[in-house]
Amino acid sequence: MSDVSRPSPAGVRTAAVIPAAGRGVRLGPGAPKALRALNGTPMLIHAVRAMAASRHVALVVVVAPPEGTAEVRSMLDAHALPERTEFLVVPGGASRQESVKRGLDALPPGYDVVLVHDAARPLVPVDTVDAVIEAVRAGAVAVVPALPLADTVKEVVPAQAPGEPEPVVATPERARLRAVQTPQGFDRGALIRAHETVTGDVTDDAGMIERLGLKVVVVPGHEEAFKVTRPLDLVLAEAVLARRRLNDGF
Ligand code: C5P
């Protein structure tokens, strides 16, 4: 594994790509997941604000559901967002990987650090965003926020039919495992190369960098950066927002 480091000039500019084109079927029927409301505000707007909250982020590229780009554009216009940040909206693709690629294709020159952040993680705190950016600026090619696991994890042979017992193959040592979150941060050139060369099934962008043989590092994630996937996650997200409002009030 090679270790590519970069110098970190003071004028490094950061852009964030937000893939938001998924249907979110695990959340139940309804609008695309990113467009559903959390405490009255679309999840996507929370995610955009979470990226724009970092003073390093000068551009946010939202990758919208292909049939919903106009809706997303007017959604961004209708909500208060920091004036120092620019916004672009592009149509997404059939897979998350394809959607991220379309976001990268839309990036203008001049951005050396790129964050990729799931719209489905609307509540990531700005300190986590900044920690990822700082680590890339300090020379890492790819940076992932992550947390230790609460559950023990088993590797199994997946069932052929629903409900069948699944034989356990292995129990990886829990202390060595991390659950990874977003935003993941990258040297722009490396991320573009990864998206041009790595094909096949990947569930995160850092995994593509690993396949190039480049080094990925982990920084501490945050419990509020959880992914809104199932109906119970909506309840948790609204509880986090209610707690924030209460804390902001004092
Ligand atoms: O489905 P999953 O929760 O893993 O999706 C992660 C993120 O990728 C979500 O923000 C989703 O909107 C996005 N996505 C996308 N284009 C797809 C599928 C998922 O932008 N075709």
Side-chain angles (χ1 to χ4, degrees), residues 18-26 32-35 43-44 47 63-66 92-100 116-121 182 203 227-229:
I18 303 186
R23 299 282 336 158
V25 286
R26 287 170 291 182
K33 176 160 70 175
L35 308 189
M43 203 180 310
L44 174 62
V63 188
S95 65
R96 182 186 180 282
Q97 193 179 4
E98 206 181 312
S99 293
V100 173
V116 181
H117 181 62
D118 287 336
R121 297 183 190 271
T182 71
T203 49
K227 183 154 81 169
V228 176
T229 306

Side-chain angles (χ1 to χ4, degrees), residues 139-225:
V141 171
V143 179
V144 182
L147 290 177
L149 298 186
D151 295 326
T152 293
V153 171
K154 303 278 184 202
E155 183 184 346
V156 300
V157 181
Q160 298 303 312
E164 255 181 23
E166 300 179 313
V168 170
V169 176
T171 305
E173 186 189 341
R174 190 173 66 188
R176 291 171 60 87
L177 298 178
R178 299 289 179 267
V180 310
Q181 305 177 324
T182 71
Q184 299 188 350
F186 303 92
D187 168 74
R188 178 188 183 153
L191 183 59
I192 287 175
R193 190 145 54 90
H195 274 270
E196 278 167 355
T197 50
V198 178
T199 53
D201 205 16
V202 286
T203 49
D204 75 338
D205 300 275
M208 303 172 78
I209 297 283
E210 289 163 54
R211 294 215 199 156
L212 287 187
L214 299 174
K215 187 167 161 183
V216 176
V217 295
V218 164
V219 296
H222 196 285
E223 60 179 1
E224 291 181 5

